[in-house]
């Protein structure tokens, strides 16, 4: 997707503080953090939102979660814990329409939303 | 896990308002909802928290997300949107140590936590 900011970050066309990458997943710091650790995990594949996943994406979604766990451990959160959030579409609070999961930590998480 | 409340719900030993089930995943209403729609999605397999997932669980985690999307659609949220949250360990706000994802919707989601 030529106009997608997250595709551009994944492709290295737009700078970001990358904290994780493999052939399918990229993790980078949210530019407007709401917690001491606030990282976005995205698939390189352009999927607009969670409702657009197909059975063929199941392994990819699982791998993204494995990556999130690795990033959390790298950030010192393996024992303290963290929160992983997907905001889907308008009422979910989604802003960028490239599937992403917020990894939040470094303080006590409170309300669910 | 004989003492796990979510294993008991998945096994039918403890009642819950089940809204989804297949051979790997169960979805049921949270007994203390914080939104008009508040459903928990769990794997039948006892995984204590997200940090305990292994590469062999990747497909399972993806399937749980596909189930969440289906449940959201069943609840009329496919277009309005929703939020999916995993609270991992203490700072994440995890209370029951059987992996679960909160599906929240039916109102605008606000703060991430």
């Amino acid at each position: 997707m030529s106009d997608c900011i997250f595709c551009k970050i994944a492709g290295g066309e737009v700078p970001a503080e990358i904290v994780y990458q493999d052939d399918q997943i990229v993790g980078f710091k949210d530019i407007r953090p709401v917690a001491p650790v606030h990282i976005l995990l995205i698939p390189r594949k352009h999927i607009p939102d969670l409702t657009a996943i197909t059975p063929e994406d199941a392994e990819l979604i699982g791998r993204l979660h494995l990556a999130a766990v690795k990033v959390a451990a790298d950030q010192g959160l393996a024992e303290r814990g963290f929160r992983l959030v997907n905001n889907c579409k308008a009422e979910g609070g989604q802003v960028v329409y490239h599937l992403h999961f917020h990894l939040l930590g470094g303080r006590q998480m409170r309300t669910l939303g």
Side-chain angles (χ1 to χ4, degrees), chain A:
Chain A
M1 289 285 284
S2 59
D3 288 339
C4 171
I5 183 72
F6 285 179
C7 282
K8 288 181 179 173
I9 287 174
E13 296 167 63
V14 166
E17 285 194 70
I18 307 282
V19 297
Y20 177 87
Q21 53 185 323
D22 63 29
D23 60 332
Q24 293 185 303
I25 312 292
V26 179
F28 55 92
K29 293 188 180 178
D30 194 291
I31 55 169
R32 282 189 245 174
V34 300
V37 174
H38 188 171
I39 289 162
L40 301 182
L41 281 300
I42 67 169
R44 291 185 183 277
K45 176 182 176 182
H46 183 83
I47 300 171
D49 63 72
L50 195 66
T51 68
I53 62 170
T54 69
E56 291 67 38
D57 298 317
E59 179 83 17
L60 174 64
I61 298 301
R63 285 177 179 272
L64 185 147
H65 283 73
L66 288 161
V69 169
K70 184 185 184 312
V71 170
D74 291 345
Q75 299 285 328
L77 302 178
E79 297 307 317
R80 296 173 64 178
F82 57 89
R83 174 172 288 174
L84 198 63
V85 181
N86 176 252
N87 293 336
C88 182
K89 296 188 174 176
E91 284 192 355
Q94 185 171 4
V95 178
V96 176
Y97 279 75
H98 180 126
L99 180 63
H100 57 285
F101 288 75
H102 297 262
L103 170 61
L104 300 158
R107 65 163 169 78
Q108 182 63 48
M109 292 297 131
R110 297 176 289 258
T111 172
L112 282 165

